[in-house]
Each structure stands twice: as structure tokens, then as C-alpha cells.
Amino acid sequence: MNQNPHTYPYPSSRNVIYGKKGMVATSQPLAAEAGLDILKKGGNAIDAAIATAACLTVVEPTSNGIGSDCFALVWVDGKLHGLNGSGQAPSKLTMEAVKEAGYEKELPKFGMIPVTVPGTPGAWAELSQKFGKLPLSEVLEPAIKYAEEGFPLTPTLAKYWERAYKAYSRLLEGDEFTSWFETFAPGGKVPKAGELWTSPGHAYSLRLIGETNAKAFYEGELADKIDQFFQKHGGFLRKEDLEAYKPEWVTPISVNYRGYDVWEIPPNGQGLIALEALNILKGFEFAEKESVDTYHKQMEAIKLAFVDGMKYIADPSSMSVTVEQLLSDEYAQSRRNEIGEDALTPEPGTPQKGGTVYLATADGDGNMVSFIQSNYMGFGSGIVVPETGIAMQNRGHNFSLDPSHDNALKPGKKTYHTIIPGFLTKGDQAVGPFGVMGGFMQPQGHVQVVVNTVDFGLNPQAALDAPRWMWSEGKKIHVERHLAPHIAEELARKGHDVKVELEGGPFGRGQIIWRDPESGVLVGGTESRTDGHIAVW
């Protein structure tokens, strides 16, 4: 990886950032600085990640909340650990119950039905107990203060907040949604950029979670409030579902891409898609970054990997093929052979049988964390438990109502999950954490960041600033407006249905921290498409 920190081939107002003792990169400045404060108080990268994540539930509620799921890749003492912090479907959430409620084709996006067990509070506690240095109560204190005392909204946050309010005002009808409006639009007024917003209930819940290592959320007072609210409004989530939850330590999965190991969380996360695409791409050579061949082959590889992921990724116990089969060199070659000069309409292959926030942290001792947390669609389900600030995710919407599908809804099952943290290593050395949040954009963003970094030696900021593209379906490709026009035209001639987007939001928000193995110097990049920030020590 021969990076040039002085080369910026793409429009950006940001420089690459360097540090030595610690670094926190995320989409919101207050959250990043909160993580750095925890490092300066004697915490490590794990403490900083938890503090930043908790703070993001307050200062970026448009993307995540206490009722979120999360995943983490944690580098400690020369080893990479994976934590799956996603929750299961409630025991009463059956396919029959959903259809009796009037939903025949898919689970709804909003309301009580798509809410699965939130994994985030339990994952914070698990990370803190296994790897943290400071008490969870101290680590959550910055988030508690922002919830109690208020904070001024940043411009991007205010834009998405207002957009959500307008959409929810049209879509959310019923008493179960009243608390959302009371919490996020008090007095019927949406907070604007620069205006203060407070959430005392949010602070109260965070304090209980910190004091009890999340037991209050799964077994105590908060669990009781969640249970009562869902029973009152005909929801399926119950206290016994919360009591049954436990975060799961998992073995990360990887492929070797041109001498670098790229790591992801195994299914039920969709990181497998990024790895399959990279496994296909490693059989090609790319002469230059800004060429139609470079873009075309990446797009074709993502399409093939994505349709496989949508067919096969589910709770591991329900998958009809294995990770090893999908990531085998033989299968990669068979998919690679399908890529020609023209755009294809992808179909799933047959392997041989045998709303999100992302943050990265690093400390001076070599610990590093890649962490992602999400309510799924913006604020999530629209359900907020009264007087708690707990906004519930709508992750259950991803379940299939086709009984024959690998991802078919079943009580106690985890659904296909979009959020994925990434990590890069070389040999036995950590290179560092990376991620690009944003629904089904995420594995596509991971592939683009890895290719930008490994194939073309772009520094972290340039790798993030590079124009992005996103496949949505069939031959449809969305590209950013600063993609070179001649590239877009040539892609169209190859049969891609190219649509130029004016906003950068759909293309995700990324963060990167790399560590120099010899000097220990940290180098970071943050997202120019949002209010991204790197706090450095």
C-alpha cells in the first residue's frame, strides 16, 4: 500500500489526519470528541468506541438509538475478535401472526411488528466487561450529559431530522407513535441546525444501563416499560424476549486481497457480500483508477455477490450454503467467468454444496475497534418507549414471508442484517478499521474503499472522497455527480442503466483509521458527505 498523503485527486475540503496516542473517527463531531475524552481519562479504544456509540444515540438519533443493533470487530493483543450485537425475532412474532395483521407479502416498515430485540445495550456491556478499562457508567457519562443538557444540531443532522419528521407525519398514525413526536419534535416543532435539543428520558435510560451493565434494559425497569408499552399497543416484543438475549462472540471471516486480509462479521451480517465480490475481483488487474474497465468490473462483481447474499444470507442455522462455499476460489472463478464486456442482469449462483452510524477508534497501545450501530431505516420503527428516549429499530422488516427462503421469519431467529464493520490486516499486523454505513450500500462501499486503498494506494481521506457508485437492481447503477462524465457515458454504452445522483447521502458515510506498523502513527479519514470528524491525540 504505497499511499501519497499529498495527492488529492477528488474534491475535498478535508486533509488526512495524523495522530499517535489515539484517534476516533465518526460522523458527528461531539461523539468523536466524547470518545477521545474517554481515552484521555485512561480508557482504551474499546471504552472510546462505547462512549462514541452511546453519544451517537443522542447526537445522531436520525440513524441509531438505544433500541439499535450493532456489530464490532475488535483488535486486542494481536488478535481480531468479532461481536454480533443483533437481536432475535420475538417469540410471538410468527409468520401467521404477521399475515393475520394484514401483511401478506412483507413485514411493514413501521410500527410494532418489525421490532426485534435490540442488541446494542447488551453489546456495550459485553465489550466493556471483556475488554474495557473503565466502568460502563463512566463511559456513558458524556452521552448522558448531552441528553440532559442538550446539544446544537449539525447541518446534515438537521436535514435528515426534518426529512424524517415530514415523512413520519404522513405515515405514522396511532397512539403508539405519539411518543416519537413528543421526543423528537417537542411541541410539534422540529429542531433546526444550531438549535438545542434535549432528551431527559434518554439520559435516564443511559444512566440505568451504565449502572446495571445493561441489566435494567433486559431484566429490570426498562424491560418492564418496553413490555408494558408493546402489550398496550398490540406489539409482539415481551420481557422474556429481552431476558433471552445475549450478544454473541463470533469468529470473523476474511478473504486475502492482493496480500491484505479483509475481515467482516459472518452472517447474519452482509459482510459476506463484500468478501465474495473482492474474491471475484482479485482475479483481475486494474491498470488505473479512473477507467471504465475498473468501474465496470467492480460493479459486475458486486451485482453477482449481492444476489447471492440476498438469496443465502440469514441466521447461520438457516443458511442452505456455507460461508466457505460462497468464498471458495472455485466459486469465485465461476462467478468471475460470468463477467464480460457488457452489463449483465445478475442471477444467484449455485455454490458447490460441502438509518446507521459507523465509528473507528484506536489507542496508543495498539487496540483498534471497528463499530457499527443502527436503527435500520433512519429513526427506525417510529416506536419510542414513553419517558425513556428508547427509539426501537425496525430490523424485522428484512425477514421474508416466503417459508422456503433461507431468511424466512421464525420466532427466535435473527434476520439478514445490513450493518457491517470492516477491518484490514497484513500478515500478523493490524492495518486498521474501516466502514461505510448506509443500508445495502455498505458492502459496495467496503469494496470501493478496499480497491481504492490496496489497488491504487489512496490515503484514507482520498479513498473516502473518491466518487462512489451504487448498484440497486438489474442493470441500474447510481453514480455521484462528480464521477467523470466520460466514465458514466462509457458505462452506459456497456449496458449499465446509469443514473447520476445530486446528493451524496445515498452513497453512505465512511470512516478509516490505518496504523503504520513501524512508527505506530495513526492516519485517518472521515466522511465529507456528512458532518464527519476525527478527534486525535
Side-chain angles (χ1 to χ4, degrees):
M1 195 189 308
N2 185 19
Q3 299 178 335
N4 184 349
H6 307 294
T7 300
Y8 290 89
Y10 308 108
S12 179
S13 58
R14 303 178 187 276
N15 286 327
V16 67
I17 302 297
Y18 293 95
K20 176 67 175 177
K21 293 184 177 180
M23 185 175 286
V24 180
T26 195
S27 53
Q28 216 284 347
L30 296 176
E33 293 294 338
L36 189 68
D37 287 344
I38 290 297
L39 286 177
K40 291 182 176 181
K41 288 182 178 180
N44 59 16
I46 294 83
D47 295 314
I50 300 167
T52 304
C55 209
L56 283 166
T57 70
V58 180
V59 301
E60 198 175 316
T62 52
S63 302
N64 74 128
I66 297 174
S68 287
D69 283 346
C70 66
F71 293 93
L73 288 168
V74 184
W75 181 270
V76 175
D77 296 331
K79 184 178 179 181
L80 190 65
H81 306 262
L83 184 64
N84 183 323
S86 67
Q88 74 278 12
S91 59
K92 296 181 181 297
L93 185 61
T94 65
M95 204 172 291
E96 294 73 24
V98 172
K99 292 182 178 180
E100 285 177 9
Y103 300 94
E104 293 289 336
K105 294 183 178 180
E106 64 178 15
L107 276 76
K109 294 179 180 179
F110 305 112
M112 294 282 178
I113 293 176
V115 178
T116 53
V117 175
T120 285
W124 292 345
E126 186 72 18
L127 285 167
S128 178
Q129 291 173 328
K130 188 174 180 68
F131 292 122
K133 293 175 65 178
L134 301 178
L136 183 61
S137 57
E138 183 176 355
V139 170
L140 298 189
E141 194 58 36
I144 293 168
K145 285 185 177 180
Y146 280 122
E148 285 180 335
E149 300 171 6
F151 74 97
L153 270 67
T154 52
T156 303
L157 174 63
K159 179 179 74 173
Y160 286 110
W161 203 309
E162 183 174 15
R163 185 176 296 180
Y165 173 77
K166 289 179 179 178
Y168 280 15
S169 295
R170 294 192 307 269
L171 296 170
L172 306 187
E173 297 180 356
D175 292 343
E176 67 268 33
F177 298 114
T178 299
S179 184
W180 186 92
F181 290 98
E182 292 175 345
T183 303
F184 296 113
K189 184 177 179 294
V190 182
K192 306 293 184 183
E195 293 183 352
L196 294 175
W197 176 77
T198 62
S199 183
H202 200 128
Y204 180 75
S205 295
L206 287 174
R207 185 164 281 117
L208 280 179
I209 290 168
E211 291 173 350
T212 65
N213 283 322
K215 288 183 179 179
F217 188 90
Y218 296 98
E219 303 172 15
E221 179 180 336
L222 297 177
D224 289 333
K225 290 185 176 183
I226 293 169
D227 182 286
Q228 291 163 12
F229 190 59
F230 272 73
Q231 288 202 54
K232 179 180 178 181
H233 293 287
F236 296 104
L237 187 63
R238 295 290 184 271
K239 185 176 181 180
E240 51 262 35
D241 298 311
L242 297 167
E243 291 173 334
Y245 175 72
K246 184 172 177 58
E248 181 183 4
W249 289 102
V250 296
T251 302
I253 58 176
S254 69
V255 297
N256 188 274
Y257 185 75
R258 310 197 198 287
Y260 290 84
D261 290 312
V262 185
W263 297 89
E264 301 278 356
I265 293 285
N268 56 320
Q270 65 175 345
L272 176 61
I273 293 172
L275 298 184
E276 183 183 333
L278 289 169
N279 222 25
I280 294 170
L281 289 172
K282 72 182 183 183
F284 298 118
E285 295 295 331
F286 301 125
E288 56 180 306
K289 172 76 175 75
E290 296 303 322
S291 76
V292 67
D293 182 68
T294 299
Y295 281 98
H296 172 68
K297 286 188 168 65
Q298 289 181 73
M299 291 170 180
E300 296 299 278
I302 271 290
K303 286 154 66 173
L304 292 168
F306 233 117
V307 292
D308 283 345
M310 295 299 288
K311 180 176 181 178
Y312 298 119
I313 292 176
D315 191 308
S317 62
S318 299
M319 288 177 60
S320 59
V321 299
T322 66
V323 169
E324 291 74 19
Q325 289 163 354
L326 287 166
L327 295 184
S328 71
D329 288 339
E330 293 78 15
Y331 187 58
Q333 183 61 54
S334 72
R335 295 302 252 166
R336 191 179 303 127
N337 291 341
E338 297 181 47
I339 298 176
E341 290 300 314
D342 297 322
L344 56 81
T345 300
E347 297 292 340
T350 306
Q352 293 297 311
K353 299 292 181 181
T356 305
V357 292
Y358 174 77
L359 64 97
T361 65
D363 61 32
D365 295 325
N367 304 306
M368 306 178 87
V369 180
S370 182
F371 189 98
I372 197 159
Q373 180 171 278
S374 176
N375 265 7
Y376 191 27
M377 296 179 181
F379 281 95
S381 63
I383 299 298
V384 176
V385 181
E387 302 177 354
T388 67
I390 298 173
M392 306 296 276
Q393 38 83 346
N394 59 340
R395 190 57 63 177
H397 175 68
N398 272 353
F399 276 119
S400 172
L401 293 181
D402 176 0
S404 66
H405 197 284
D406 285 11
N407 193 41
L409 172 62
K410 184 180 178 181
K413 182 178 179 178
K414 294 182 178 182
T415 186
Y416 176 112
H417 229 289
T418 58
I419 61 174
I420 52 173
F423 205 94
L424 202 64
T425 63
K426 188 171 186 180
D428 60 356
Q429 297 291 317
V431 177
F434 70 95
V436 179
M437 55 70 63
F440 296 97
M441 175 63 199
Q442 292 181 60
Q444 306 187 58
H446 281 210
V447 167
Q448 292 171 63
V449 163
V450 170
V451 170
N452 291 344
T453 300
V454 175
D455 288 87
F456 301 109
L458 298 185
N459 68 59
Q461 191 58 56
L464 292 171
D465 290 336
R468 291 188 196 139
W469 50 267
M470 177 178 63
W471 173 75
S472 57
E473 61 180 350
K475 298 182 181 181
K476 188 174 292 184
I477 297 288
H478 304 259
V479 301
E480 289 194 284
R481 59 182 173 178
H482 58 284
L483 178 76
H486 75 276
I487 297 291
E489 291 168 4
E490 290 184 59
L491 287 169
R493 284 195 288 272
K494 285 182 172 291
H496 296 280
D497 180 5
V498 179
K499 181 179 180 181
V500 179
E501 300 288 350
L502 298 180
E503 286 195 24
F507 298 94
R509 295 178 287 173
Q511 315 292 333
I512 301 173
I513 298 177
W514 300 147
R515 180 190 294 278
D516 185 294
E518 295 182 2
S519 66
V521 168
L522 302 168
V523 53
T526 188
E527 187 57 74
S528 56
R529 296 165 184 83
T530 189
D531 307 309
H533 184 74
I534 295 179
V536 64
W537 187 17

